[in-house]
Amino acid sequence: MIDVLVVDDDYRVAEINAKYVGKVPGFRVSARAHSAAQALTTVQRGGIDLVLLDHYLPDRTGLELVHRLRDQGIGTDVIMITAAGDVATVQQAMRLGALHYLVKPFTFVALRSRLDSYAALRRTVDRVGGRGVTGQEQVDRIFGALRTTPTPASPGLPSGHSEPTSELVCRVLHRADRPLSAHEVAARTGLSRSTAQRYLRHLEQAGRLRLSLKYGDTGRPEHRYAWVAP
């Protein structure tokens, strides 16, 4: 079993992520932490193979925590799971050795693909390391194990819908500070209004969005959508 530490300052999000991990064969959540200090103490005690790490923590950033771990010679593997999507943070995560970077909000399918590739990496390293061979073919095999295949469409998506587009719409609604109309979602995602409407309708029917009506002085009410936490 691969022992996982879930780190997120939001207790509810940490619980959701832990439940996701528990659904992936070969993985188990050994601990949860809600600050960098808690996470550091947990990793220092040992027994953690992988850290699912948020960047925005109350006492220091997730990447500052990774830097501290590396300074102490702790090479525990890290997958970033965060709302921080700026290029500078992503680059820094790569330089500190993060194996994957998953931007919130995400689906279970997206997380599972990263965990599956991580498990494949560990199996590959074990096989290659057992032979004591470090030729180019073996090195390529190790690096190739981390590649993830494009996320397939979820079985729950209607024909003509894609998981990446669904995630994009969810991300926009998740970050919005108020309910958005189909027109506003289209503007923020770059999708056409009709495409945005199709995805919004499906996501609302699936219970991932909440629909409300805004009535004006005349005409039909405007449909507005808000993110619903899983």
Side-chain angles (χ1 to χ4, degrees), residues 7-224:
V7 184
D8 199 294
D9 67 322
D10 188 319
Y11 284 71
R12 178 181 54 83
V13 173
E15 184 62 28
I16 292 170
N17 292 349
K19 288 181 179 179
Y20 278 176
V21 172
K23 293 168 64 177
V24 182
F27 290 83
R28 66 185 173 197
V29 175
S30 296
R32 299 169 181 78
H34 308 291
S35 69
Q38 289 178 347
L40 179 62
T41 300
T42 303
V43 175
Q44 287 173 332
R45 284 200 299 260
I48 298 297
D49 300 306
L50 175 66
V51 180
L52 300 186
L53 181 60
D54 189 17
H55 182 58
Y56 297 121
L57 298 174
D59 46 353
R60 66 174 67 202
T61 68
L63 292 184
E64 288 173 340
L65 170 62
V66 179
H67 197 282
R68 179 82 178 273
L69 292 172
R70 301 304 182 242
D71 282 347
Q72 295 182 8
I74 300 174
T76 305
D77 294 322
V78 173
I79 293 178
M80 298 297 297
I81 298 183
T82 177
D86 59 284
V87 174
T89 302
V90 174
Q91 286 181 324
Q92 187 180 2
M94 294 173 62
R95 290 166 182 156
L96 288 172
L99 298 178
H100 281 299
Y101 197 107
L102 196 56
V103 179
K104 297 177 182 178
F106 56 89
T107 64
F108 166 68
V109 174
L111 176 60
R112 177 166 185 165
S113 71
R114 274 69 177 180
L115 294 180
D116 285 343
S117 74
Y118 173 72
L121 170 67
R122 288 173 61 95
R123 291 193 298 269
T124 302
V125 169
D126 287 343
R127 287 197 300 268
V128 173
R131 300 189 194 123
V133 179
T134 56
Q136 187 63 54
E137 181 181 348
Q138 285 72 34
V139 172
D140 290 343
R141 192 173 301 162
I142 292 172
F143 276 86
L146 271 179
R147 296 179 187 141
T148 56
T149 55
T151 304
S154 167
L157 286 176
S159 176
H161 289 60
S162 73
E163 190 72 29
T165 304
S166 181
E167 288 187 26
L168 175 62
V169 173
C170 287
R171 189 174 303 129
V172 166
L173 269 298
H174 183 266
R175 293 175 176 174
D177 57 1
R178 59 178 177 80
L180 300 178
S181 66
H183 177 76
E184 290 171 318
V185 171
R188 297 188 186 196
T189 58
L191 301 172
S192 69
R193 190 170 185 273
S194 60
T195 298
Q197 282 179 322
R198 284 195 296 111
Y199 279 86
L200 290 168
R201 189 178 305 114
H202 167 70
L203 291 167
E204 187 269 327
Q205 292 173 350
R208 299 181 67 182
L209 302 179
R210 182 178 64 253
L211 172 64
S212 60
L213 301 178
K214 180 182 179 181
Y215 290 89
D217 295 333
T218 59
R220 300 173 60 184
E222 182 181 52
H223 289 199
R224 289 181 169 267

